[in-house]
Amino acid sequence: ACAGMSSRKPGRPAVSAREVEQAFDQAERLFYARQFDEAGAGYRSFLDRFTENPLTRKAWFRLGEIAFNKGDLTPAVGLYEKSLAKGISREWGARALYKKAVVHNRLGEFRKVFRTLDQMPPPGQAPGDLLVRAGSLRAGPFGARARRRRSRWKGGARPMAAHPGEAPGVMSV
């Protein structure tokens, strides 16, 4: 399995890689079953028992996902940042960056969206679908061009036509 996974807190007996994997897998099963409270407790217990190993950063990422799914956006940012603290994992690190950008977007922190997306790995080092989604987040309704267009209208957002081909703000009877 994974070599070097027996890291533990000082003063505790050494543990096997199998024990580490089993503890992580138990939390993962709860996460995929969408039992977020129980999964969160499992990941926290895992982090308490096995402070530093290859799965530690993924446990922080999963805690960020749980916070995100529960709508706890501000704590989600901090948890994603903890998962990225020692570099971007090839397996899921780009996803942590993307989700962090999504959270900033939902919080209305648009400059932070772009700063976060600027950290994304180049093509070939991140999943292609993720780079497409990150690009659409950058160019989406809160991108720079869209903000400039909206600022031309007094109400912020441009009035929408009721039907295709009609002038904005005009509704046919």
Side-chain angles (χ1 to χ4, degrees):
C2 298
M5 292 187 60
S6 61
S7 295
R8 58 179 168 65
K9 284 196 170 186
R12 291 193 180 172
V15 295
S16 69
R18 180 172 157 78
E19 185 179 352
V20 172
E21 289 174 354
Q22 285 176 336
F24 188 82
D25 288 345
Q26 181 179 5
E28 286 281 275
R29 281 190 296 279
L30 293 166
F31 177 82
Y32 283 110
R34 301 187 64 77
Q35 297 175 358
F36 294 132
D37 290 335
E38 295 85 354
Y43 290 121
R44 292 220 179 263
S45 173
F46 173 84
L47 289 166
D48 184 52
R49 290 175 57 205
F50 314 109
T51 56
E52 204 51 54
N53 65 70
L55 294 172
T56 300
R57 293 185 295 159
K58 190 169 184 179
W60 286 116
F61 172 71
R62 289 291 194 229
L63 286 170
E65 292 288 87
I66 290 168
F68 180 85
N69 282 308
K70 292 170 105 180
D72 299 333
L73 300 181
T74 302
V77 170
L79 293 164
Y80 289 136
E81 287 172 350
K82 279 189 174 190
S83 76
L84 295 163
K86 292 193 177 184
I88 299 172
S89 161
R90 188 166 180 83
E91 178 189 352
W92 49 265
R95 292 198 189 287
L97 281 169
Y98 171 73
K99 291 300 281 281
K100 182 180 167 191
V102 168
V103 171
H104 285 309
N105 189 44
R106 290 191 181 176
L107 292 171
E109 302 168 341
F110 305 119
R111 290 183 198 271
K112 289 181 181 180
V113 171
F114 296 115
R115 280 197 299 262
T116 301
L117 291 175
D118 287 344
Q119 298 172 40
M120 289 290 287
Q125 294 182 15
D129 68 314
L130 187 64
L131 294 175
V132 169
R133 285 190 281 174
S136 66
L137 183 62
R138 184 183 293 276
F142 301 107
R145 282 188 297 178
R147 283 194 302 276
R148 281 194 301 272
R149 279 195 308 269
R150 280 196 306 275
S151 69
R152 294 183 195 142
W153 296 88
K154 290 183 181 175
R158 183 177 177 181
M160 298 298 291
H163 299 287
E166 291 182 348
V170 176
M171 294 179 60
S172 57
V173 181

